[in-house]
Amino acid sequence: MTLQVRQVSKTYRGAGKCVQALLDVSLQVSPGELLAVHGASGSGKSTLLLCCGGLLMCDSGEIIVDGLCPYALGHRRRTAFRAEKVGFVFQQFHLIPYLNVLDNVLAASVKRNSPPSRERAMNLLEQFGMHDRLRHFPGELSVGERQRVALSRAMVNAPPLILADEPTGNLDPKNSRVVFQALRDYAESGKAVLVVTHEDVSLSLAHRTLMLDRGRLENQESRG
Amino acid sequence: MIREIFHRKAVFIAGMLAVALSVGIGGGSFTLLRVFDRETEMILQAKHDEVELAWARFRDDVRRSMLELGFNLIIVHKEQTLSTPDEETRYLPETYADTLATAGLMTINHVLPFLQKQVWWEEQKRWVTLYGTPGEVQVNNPARQVPIVRSIRPGHASLGRGIHESLGLRKGDRFVMMGREFVVQDCRLAEGFQEDEQIRIPLDEAQQMLDKPGLITGLMAINCVCDDPEGLAKIRSAVSAVLPNTHVREHRGNMVVRAEERSRAARETEASLERERRSRADLRTRRETFNAVLLPSVLLVAALWLGLMTWMNVHHRRGEIAILRAIGWTEGRVFRLFLGKAVLTGVLGGLVGYVGGQLILAVHLGFSNVQLYGAGMLIVSILGATMLALLASWLPASLAARVDPAVVLQQE
């Protein structure tokens, strides 16, 4: 398994309030699989993703990515783990406004100045139809193009796991389909992809879907 | 980093200008102090030159009085001293004047016999020195000089400054002394403590008034030629041979008075130099004190301003920092990113501040003053500015490195 989540719980505490974000969540994503977790806003989807990506420590349970538990690693090694093992895609794209398209992709590259990294970045951008926009800045791109750049950035290190948080939330149906198809293609190249979304239209391309409701996994269904 | 700077030019320029301003003020104040020191050096050197000149004039007067213009000598009875009371004064015969004048001594130019005594001036109720002289006796000397002391006409008197000033007498006025009436022939300027209290009258009238017929107190030999350092000894020896039972002493003359004036002027110039030195040192201390307050204040304000700019930059870039941390940037790398920007701010701010500050000073003070420190000051400015920028940015950069990506990404 590329990603194993075992009985993970997470509670946010603060100002006398407790919010149970995740409760005994268990799931796994195999290589070659795109798993979509859907649910309403506030159901704990983003929390699940951050925990899986080694950014947010859960209160209990265990998370294993490509055989490693990120929270068992030290600070520095966990940072390296994120760079090498995980690719992130966000709804807001989070592109760096003063870097051009190519440099945005290379910013995530472990060996960003090496020719192979550069070649891989350019190949990815070409694959996403961005080969003629390499020197453009994010402010000069459409939202669909920005998300394609964000996808290229997530894939540039060829991580075994991609975590996507509402990747099509700001896109029109056509672009949503392009992005989801790209994620599926990436999964089918032998990697694992976990997508959290609340859009039904995106779910049709997932290999498997799960529903998260107030921090609990409700059902599981398989698709083609 | 460079592209980020171009992306947020205004923030970077504001921070850099803060550094440049502090460097400009800091460097400028040091340069001004240096300029002040140079001015001080020049002023004190000019004063020093004045002192040197004054002392040179003094030495020249002494040399001339000693070697060219000669001594003034006083010849008195060998048993006469300064402490001899008036009633025991030992007199010389008046004929000694002719004896000396006709002795053919090449060193003697002017001979002036005199009779002197301190007397009670009953009419004015005061003590004065009565000084009788016939004027210069003609000297038998082939190199004879033009007479320099005028004789006093019969029935006339020459008054010292202390007397004519206190009595309000002027040339041509009449006054009575010891029952005898005199006309003021001249009123002398300041000559010295003793001379200023003298009333000079013709010798024969003084001899009558003092009841010393044919006697004199001594002889003044004025402007004796003395062309070598041993001249005084030679004159003494020659005079003693001609005038038995006499003693020859130096007596200050006009040259000595002038030399004394020169000496006083030199000492006053020296005192003026010292006053100037103290005044400049005092002024410098005040400037240093002002700088000691100004500089830390400017540095503190610049550091706070730069720290605020960096903090705002960190705040605006929280999302960017979060994503960078999420995709694998270490805390150290984020920290170095902000410190690198601080270094660039410091280097450019130091350069701009130094050049700008020196240019402004150059316009006001002249271009020769802007090279006072040169490359050394430039390096110090850049290093100092870089340190300032690093210190000011350290805390905000640490905050940037500690941005929790999970928190920021959830918020966004």
Side-chain angles (χ1 to χ4, degrees):
Chain A
M1 291 301 147
T2 301
L3 171 65
Q4 287 180 289
V5 179
R6 293 180 194 142
Q7 294 183 308
V8 166
S9 295
K10 176 70 184 175
T11 304
Y12 293 110
R13 295 179 177 82
K17 295 176 187 171
C18 287
V19 177
Q20 184 77 54
L22 296 174
L23 184 63
D24 280 336
V25 171
S26 296
L27 59 86
Q28 56 188 38
V29 186
S30 309
E33 185 181 26
L34 188 160
L35 172 63
V37 175
H38 63 108
S41 286
S43 59
K45 302 188 301 290
S46 294
T47 301
L48 174 65
L49 216 65
L50 293 172
C51 288
C52 291
L55 290 168
L56 184 63
M57 187 180 271
C58 48
D59 299 333
S60 62
E62 189 179 35
I63 291 168
I64 306 291
V65 177
D66 205 28
L68 286 172
C69 173
Y71 301 105
L73 302 173
H75 219 67
R76 184 174 283 272
R77 286 191 63 200
R78 199 191 314 164
T79 302
F81 158 86
R82 282 201 300 270
E84 293 165 9
K85 302 289 185 187
V86 184
F88 287 96
V89 182
F90 299 95
Q91 181 181 354
Q92 301 296 338
F93 324 126
H94 289 306
L95 297 178
I96 297 168
Y98 51 84
L99 295 183
N100 63 32
V101 164
L102 181 60
D103 288 331
N104 257 293
V105 176
L106 285 170
S109 176
V110 177
K111 295 175 181 173
R112 62 198 162 119
N113 290 325
S114 68
S117 295
R118 198 172 181 83
E119 192 180 331
R120 176 164 175 75
M122 291 180 69
N123 285 341
L124 281 167
L125 288 166
E126 188 172 353
Q127 181 188 324
F128 286 118
M130 299 294 294
H131 57 281
D132 54 346
R133 310 297 296 272
L134 297 181
R135 302 292 166 198
H136 286 71
F137 290 90
E140 299 166 335
L141 304 177
S142 68
V143 287
E145 287 171 327
R146 287 183 208 176
Q147 193 59 301
R148 279 182 269 162
V149 176
L151 276 173
S152 302
R153 183 177 66 189
M155 295 173 183
V156 72
N157 291 323
L161 174 66
I162 281 186
L163 301 170
D165 186 358
E166 306 276 12
T168 57
N170 286 331
L171 304 182
D172 56 55
K174 186 185 168 193
N175 275 307
S176 296
R177 194 157 195 85
V178 169
V179 168
F180 245 90
Q181 186 60 52
L183 288 169
R184 184 180 170 108
D185 291 346
Y186 187 75
E188 288 177 351
S189 70
K191 314 289 183 181
V193 177
L194 172 61
V195 179
V196 297
T197 180
H198 65 273
E199 288 183 275
D200 293 339
V201 66
S202 308
L203 300 176
S204 59
L205 287 169
H207 293 114
R208 194 155 55 92
T209 62
L210 292 173
M211 180 155 177
L212 196 62
D213 183 22
R214 283 173 288 182
R216 292 169 189 268
L217 281 178
E218 292 291 321
N219 64 335
Q220 179 169 336
E221 49 189 276
S222 295
R223 294 177 189 274
Chain B
M1 183 176 67
I2 301 294
R3 275 178 284 193
E4 194 275 329
I5 288 169
F6 275 103
H7 185 68
R8 295 185 176 91
K9 290 185 282 286
V11 174
F12 180 76
I13 289 170
M16 192 193 72
L17 284 180
V19 175
L21 196 64
S22 63
V23 168
I25 291 173
S29 61
F30 275 114
T31 304
L32 279 175
L33 209 57
R34 179 74 177 186
V35 169
F36 179 81
D37 285 346
R38 271 192 18 165
E39 277 177 6
T40 301
E41 270 177 38
M42 287 166 67
I43 289 169
L44 293 182
Q45 185 59 49
K47 287 270 180 192
H48 185 262
D49 290 346
E50 275 181 41
V51 171
E52 286 293 306
L53 183 64
W55 280 117
R57 282 180 180 152
F58 165 73
R59 283 192 294 272
D60 190 49
D61 274 359
V62 170
R63 182 184 62 77
R64 287 168 67 198
S65 69
M66 292 291 285
L67 298 178
E68 293 172 11
L69 297 175
F71 294 104
N72 286 349
L73 300 177
I74 185 166
I75 301 160
V76 293
H77 193 280
K78 69 178 180 184
E79 292 174 7
Q80 180 74 18
T81 66
L82 281 174
S83 56
T84 307
D86 267 5
E87 57 271 20
E88 293 178 19
T89 299
R90 303 298 299 270
Y91 296 97
L92 298 174
E94 189 182 343
T95 53
Y96 266 31
D98 289 328
T99 307
L100 182 64
T102 57
L105 299 178
M106 295 297 286
T107 54
I108 303 293
N109 286 309
H110 309 278
V111 173
L112 187 73
F114 66 92
L115 175 65
Q116 174 179 304
K117 191 177 182 189
Q118 204 170 38
V119 297
W120 174 251
W121 187 358
E122 181 60 32
E123 288 84 351
Q124 295 296 336
K125 305 294 185 196
R126 62 183 288 177
W127 289 94
V128 290
T129 302
L130 189 65
Y131 186 97
T133 178
E136 277 188 43
V137 177
Q138 188 155 340
V139 175
N140 181 17
N141 180 347
R144 189 175 66 230
Q145 297 177 352
V146 176
I148 57 174
V149 179
R150 285 194 303 165
S151 60
I152 298 163
R153 296 196 298 278
H156 284 71
S158 167
L159 303 182
R161 181 182 172 191
I163 294 169
H164 68 75
E165 278 192 356
S166 62
L167 298 179
L169 291 171
R170 301 169 73 177
K171 185 176 177 181
D173 288 349
R174 293 174 181 275
F175 67 92
V176 176
M177 184 182 186
M178 296 168 75
R180 191 183 285 253
E181 188 179 72
F182 291 94
V183 177
V184 179
Q185 179 174 308
D186 62 66
C187 295
R188 303 193 301 277
L189 298 174
E191 294 170 316
F193 180 70
Q194 286 183 325
E195 289 83 349
D196 286 354
E197 289 299 317
Q198 279 180 353
I199 296 178
R200 294 179 186 167
I201 59 174
L203 178 63
D204 54 344
E205 293 179 40
Q207 285 169 335
Q208 288 169 19
M209 288 168 72
L210 299 176
D211 194 23
K212 300 294 178 192
L215 294 177
I216 55 174
T217 308
L219 296 162
M220 291 282 292
I222 302 166
N223 212 16
C224 301
V225 174
C226 176
D227 57 0
D228 68 63
E230 297 299 319
L232 180 59
K234 287 179 181 174
I235 293 169
R236 276 186 172 144
S237 171
V239 170
S240 296
V242 177
L243 306 176
N245 297 322
T246 56
H247 176 63
V248 179
R249 290 187 308 192
E250 289 173 76
H251 185 78
R252 65 183 201 151
N254 289 341
M255 274 323 255
V256 176
V257 171
R258 203 168 81 173
E260 281 182 350
E261 285 297 322
R262 296 278 198 215
S263 164
R264 188 160 49 246
R267 285 182 203 290
E268 276 175 10
T269 313
E270 262 186 346
S272 160
L273 169 66
E274 192 51 40
R275 279 196 300 274
E276 189 69 40
R277 199 193 302 278
R278 278 201 297 270
S279 160
R280 299 292 292 187
D282 185 48
L283 209 54
R284 191 182 198 283
T285 305
R286 272 188 271 167
R287 286 186 176 213
E288 275 180 332
T289 309
F290 179 70
N291 284 353
V293 175
L294 175 73
L295 268 184
S297 308
V298 167
L299 289 178
L300 184 66
V301 170
L304 287 174
W305 176 252
L306 192 59
L308 184 68
M309 291 283 115
T310 312
W311 182 82
M312 284 172 64
N313 190 233
V314 169
H315 186 72
H316 286 138
R317 295 172 69 187
R318 274 166 56 85
E320 177 194 329
I321 296 165
I323 194 66
L324 289 173
R325 294 278 291 120
I327 63 177
W329 280 45
T330 60
E331 287 184 11
R333 195 169 165 191
V334 172
F335 186 63
R336 286 194 298 275
L337 177 74
F338 282 90
L339 281 195
K341 192 175 171 184
V343 168
L344 199 61
T345 305
V347 170
L348 285 177
L351 191 65
V352 169
Y354 174 82
V355 173
Q358 298 296 298
L359 272 178
I360 289 169
L361 282 177
V363 169
H364 286 281
L365 302 173
F367 276 86
S368 60
N369 288 318
V370 299
Q371 297 169 344
L372 291 171
Y373 287 104
M377 182 68 176
L378 175 64
I379 290 167
V380 168
S381 295
I382 290 174
L383 287 180
T386 306
M387 286 301 295
L388 175 76
L390 278 174
L391 287 173
S393 302
W394 197 271
L395 187 63
S398 301
L399 292 175
R402 288 179 196 157
V403 163
D404 186 343
V407 172
V408 177
L409 291 172
Q410 277 180 318
Q411 286 171 348
E412 297 192 2

